[in-house]
Amino acid sequence: MNRIEKLMYRSLDARLTEEESKTLKRALQESPQLQSRLDEITALREAAKSDGHEFSPWFDAKVMHTIKELQQNGIKAFPFQAYRTATIVGFAAIAAMLVIALIFNGSLSINSITGLDSINSENLTAFLAFDF
């Protein structure tokens, strides 16, 4: 984008200095393409400002009804309904970890699940140095 186009866009939102204003005015007089571009941009800005947006009948009532339905049905069981596959995979992974801990250690105590039962004061330094 060249300097004149930047001035043109800036003139739509802010005041230009006298020198910038003269430069832009001269460029608009010399270039009909630039003048048509400015007219087009001005028309688009005015169209965007208009309040001609219309929604379907009862739009607000439909939106509020949908929100109430989501609150009644969806929020209570959100993790299990929305992410059903991830929830099932997570539960399966937890069950597999418990089964593996039970097989290797013979119990489901917190120490056996976390692997802390294999650490004692005699091998703590070796564990921290090599296994941690």
Side-chain angles (χ1 to χ4, degrees):
M1 182 180 301
N2 64 23
R3 182 174 161 264
I4 299 297
E5 288 177 342
K6 288 180 184 178
L7 280 176
M8 182 179 67
Y9 283 112
R10 201 163 43 113
S11 72
L12 296 171
D13 294 323
R15 293 185 57 94
L16 300 176
T17 64
E18 272 195 50
E19 183 180 322
E20 291 173 334
S21 183
K22 287 178 185 177
T23 304
L24 179 62
K25 191 174 186 179
R26 189 176 327 113
L28 289 172
Q29 289 173 349
E30 293 173 0
S31 172
Q33 292 173 339
L34 193 60
Q35 180 64 46
S36 65
R37 180 72 180 141
L38 179 62
D39 294 339
E40 180 183 333
I41 292 169
T42 306
L44 283 172
R45 288 172 62 102
E46 291 301 319
K49 286 181 184 177
S50 69
D51 292 332
H53 307 291
E54 293 185 24
F55 294 100
S56 64
W58 301 100
F59 176 77
D60 55 345
K62 292 176 188 176
V63 169
M64 293 307 296
H65 177 71
T66 304
I67 290 172
K68 286 178 185 176
E69 280 184 354
L70 286 174
Q71 286 176 342
Q72 291 173 353
N73 300 331
I75 304 240
K76 293 176 188 172
F78 172 73
F80 299 108
Q81 287 180 352
Y83 300 106
R84 187 175 304 150
T85 305
T87 304
I88 291 171
V89 169
F91 283 141
I94 291 170
M97 287 173 42
L98 292 175
V99 168
I100 290 170
L102 182 63
I103 290 171
F104 285 127
N105 296 323
S107 70
L108 286 180
S109 67
I110 297 294
N111 286 342
S112 67
I113 291 173
T114 58
L116 294 176
D117 61 345
S118 63
I119 301 173
N120 56 29
S121 61
E122 296 159 1
N123 66 357
L124 180 61
T125 55
F127 174 78
L128 292 175
F130 301 109
D131 293 337
F132 186 62

